[in-house]
Amino acid sequence: MNISKHHSRYNFSRLHADIVEEDGAFTVRVRMLNHLQKKNQGVWGEEIAPTFELATAMIDELARQFSIPQNCIFIKIIMTRFKDGTMH
């Protein structure tokens, strides 16, 4: 995801992500914010991943780059046919 290229000077404390299965791929929507700042600085982005594994790797990469702890990451997964593929 290209969020990091444009906002590397910011600190984020929360990461909210949605992984949505759509048309055989996975749309990854993320929102990062710093709830400790009075300005409530935040960014958002969306990207398509061909596999579920790549979608989760995108989220992991952002969390690592901005040092967001695991208990501050919130992920919502929406699968169209959960019985046909990976079980979550």
Side-chain angles (χ1 to χ4, degrees):
M1 298 195 116
N2 294 328
I3 292 174
S4 59
K5 293 179 184 176
H6 303 292
H7 299 284
S8 60
R9 68 180 185 267
Y10 295 115
N11 294 316
F12 298 107
S13 60
R14 299 279 190 265
L15 189 154
H16 297 267
D18 293 343
I19 300 174
V20 182
E21 183 182 17
E22 297 176 318
D23 300 323
F26 296 87
T27 302
V28 181
R29 295 181 184 105
V30 297
R31 184 172 44 101
M32 295 190 305
L33 57 96
N34 187 340
H35 75 287
L36 303 173
Q37 295 286 329
K38 291 181 181 181
K39 294 181 186 180
N40 247 351
Q41 66 189 21
V43 297
W44 63 271
E46 179 177 289
E47 197 159 324
I48 304 295
T51 65
F52 183 78
E53 289 76 13
L54 188 54
T56 58
M58 290 177 182
I59 297 168
D60 181 59
E61 179 184 339
L62 286 173
R64 288 179 192 273
Q65 183 157 10
F66 290 98
S67 301
I68 299 173
Q70 187 175 6
N71 65 335
C72 296
I73 300 170
F74 307 94
I75 301 174
K76 181 178 177 182
I77 300 170
I78 302 169
M79 305 285 284
T80 55
R81 290 166 280 148
F82 68 92
K83 291 183 180 179
D84 292 345
T86 310
M87 297 296 286
H88 301 283

